[in-house]
Amino acid sequence: KTAMSLDEFRLVCLQWWLLLWGCYAQHGRISQSVATARKKGLVGYDLVNAADIWWGTSNNPYNAPWQVLDQALGNGDGKVTMVDWKQAVLPEAHFTYFDKDRDKEMSVHECASWWMQRKPARTMNLSEVDDPPVGHLKRLGSHKPPLPSEDLVYQKPYPHPREFWNKHMDGYLPANLKGAQVGWPAMNWTREVLTQKFGWVDAKLEPKRESRGNDTAYEELDRIAPQHRLNVSEYLHIEEGKNMYVVSIIPQVMAWEVAHPSVLLCGSRKKMVNKRSKPPYTIGDHEYPHESGLE
């Protein structure tokens, strides 16, 4: 191993000193804010808000909520328990609710989750935890009896778009378009076909599991694709088992192979409203006409 030079050693020492000084200064600001708030008689969530020195910024450390609860509001014993919660005069039922693993101790992740939800949490109705509303955690629509399916299920040919929109959009009614995808070229897409025909297409990526409340969601994606972009061929080659997926709007070159039913479209593919015109608006040629001249 190469020995560290004196200048490098000094730089490392300076970086550590700046880091420790920053942590100490930050802790001092929080303690001062809490002391001032307590003198004013603030308790509970008002006291917590006073300790939030990062409000309006995006640079608070992920473990900051845990440190605030343990060191600034609690007894500083290196863990966040009901004792710290009571010292801050926070509702005991809220500790139980956010202690998701029921180990009677709030982890860094649990504290971060509570911290981000604390604004609405102060008025949340916990009675619904033991007596949830009808349909909670069940299939979508389970909150009420199902609608009769007559006149809501369609086979090709589908109704005229105007009739369909008047009935379903204006009437807030669901619809089931059976066989809508039949005949789509996209139905024949495979990994091989996508690579051969669209491998060059640029794709924007995001994590599959966003892990909200956790700052590790992008670790794998940042390592694989620092710009969060790959072409389709590159993506298909490495995506299996990885925490990432494509979030791009489907490019026009691929959209031609996804033939949405006319009842779901808002106009033809030959004419469109001129976006630069003013009321009553003018009509011009479509910017993206169908390659086969179809409507």
Side-chain angles (χ1 to χ4, degrees):
K1 295 182 179 180
T2 305
M4 182 183 295
S5 68
L6 181 58
D7 287 341
E8 290 173 331
F9 178 73
R10 287 171 176 166
L11 178 60
V12 170
C13 290
L14 176 61
Q15 289 172 333
W16 272 106
W17 182 85
L18 290 173
L19 177 63
L20 293 173
W21 181 85
C23 292
Y24 177 79
Q26 183 171 268
H27 179 72
R29 285 181 59 201
I30 298 171
S31 299
Q32 184 177 2
S33 297
V34 170
T36 301
R38 280 181 163 147
K39 286 181 180 178
K40 294 178 180 180
L42 299 184
V43 295
Y45 281 101
D46 291 328
L47 179 60
V48 172
N49 291 339
D52 186 2
I53 64 172
W54 305 277
W55 177 253
T57 71
S58 59
N59 59 352
N60 60 296
Y62 183 70
N63 65 343
W66 182 91
Q67 291 179 331
V68 168
L69 284 169
D70 173 50
Q71 299 171 12
L73 303 178
N75 57 16
D77 62 354
K79 55 187 178 181
V80 175
T81 64
M82 185 66 81
V83 174
D84 304 299
W85 208 257
K86 289 180 178 179
Q87 284 192 207
V89 198
L90 288 163
E92 295 181 24
H94 290 191
F95 180 94
T96 303
Y97 177 79
F98 284 100
D99 179 21
K100 298 301 183 182
D101 58 9
R102 299 292 184 265
D103 65 350
K104 299 182 179 181
E105 183 177 332
M106 293 271 282
S107 68
V108 170
H109 300 311
E110 289 168 340
C111 289
S113 175
W114 162 77
W115 184 266
M116 291 190 297
Q117 300 177 67
R118 74 182 192 275
K119 299 295 181 181
R122 66 188 302 165
T123 58
M124 64 183 178
N125 181 9
L126 289 177
S127 66
E128 293 185 349
V129 174
D130 298 319
D131 185 22
V134 175
H136 180 61
L137 295 181
K138 295 184 179 179
R139 291 182 62 182
L140 184 64
S142 297
H143 63 289
K144 63 180 182 179
L147 291 170
S149 61
E150 293 82 4
D151 300 325
L152 300 179
V153 179
Y154 299 91
Q155 302 279 355
K156 291 182 178 179
Y158 302 130
H160 190 279
R162 187 177 294 109
E163 174 189 342
F164 182 86
W165 279 64
N166 287 342
K167 177 179 178 180
H168 293 276
M169 298 300 293
D170 295 343
Y172 297 98
L173 290 174
N176 185 347
L177 304 179
K178 288 187 175 291
Q181 80 284 5
V182 174
W184 289 11
M187 296 303 294
N188 297 317
W189 285 354
T190 62
R191 300 175 74 90
E192 292 73 23
V193 170
L194 287 170
T195 300
Q196 181 181 1
K197 297 182 67 174
F198 309 113
W200 55 273
V201 173
D202 182 65
K204 183 177 184 298
L205 309 177
E206 285 187 2
K208 292 178 184 176
R209 299 177 296 278
E210 294 185 5
S211 302
R212 296 177 184 180
N214 187 326
D215 60 354
T216 63
Y218 281 84
E219 282 187 353
E220 185 175 49
L221 180 57
D222 288 341
R223 185 173 65 254
I224 296 173
Q227 302 302 316
H228 297 177
R229 306 192 80 91
L230 292 173
N231 65 39
V232 169
S233 178
E234 293 169 333
Y235 171 77
L236 292 175
H237 181 68
I238 65 171
E239 62 87 23
E240 189 170 357
K242 302 294 192 301
N243 182 30
M244 61 182 183
Y245 74 122
V246 174
V247 295
S248 296
I249 296 175
I250 187 169
Q252 188 60 56
V253 67
M254 301 176 72
W256 294 131
E257 302 200 5
V258 181
H260 288 293
S262 61
V263 294
L264 302 180
L265 299 178
C266 46
S268 74
R269 296 305 294 272
K270 289 186 176 181
K271 300 292 182 180
M272 65 180 293
V273 172
N274 186 341
K275 294 181 291 186
R276 295 178 178 82
S277 65
K278 296 181 179 180
Y281 303 109
T282 58
I283 304 296
D285 293 335
H286 203 288
E287 291 182 359
Y288 303 103
H290 195 284
E291 57 186 6
S292 300
L294 302 176
E295 287 284 342

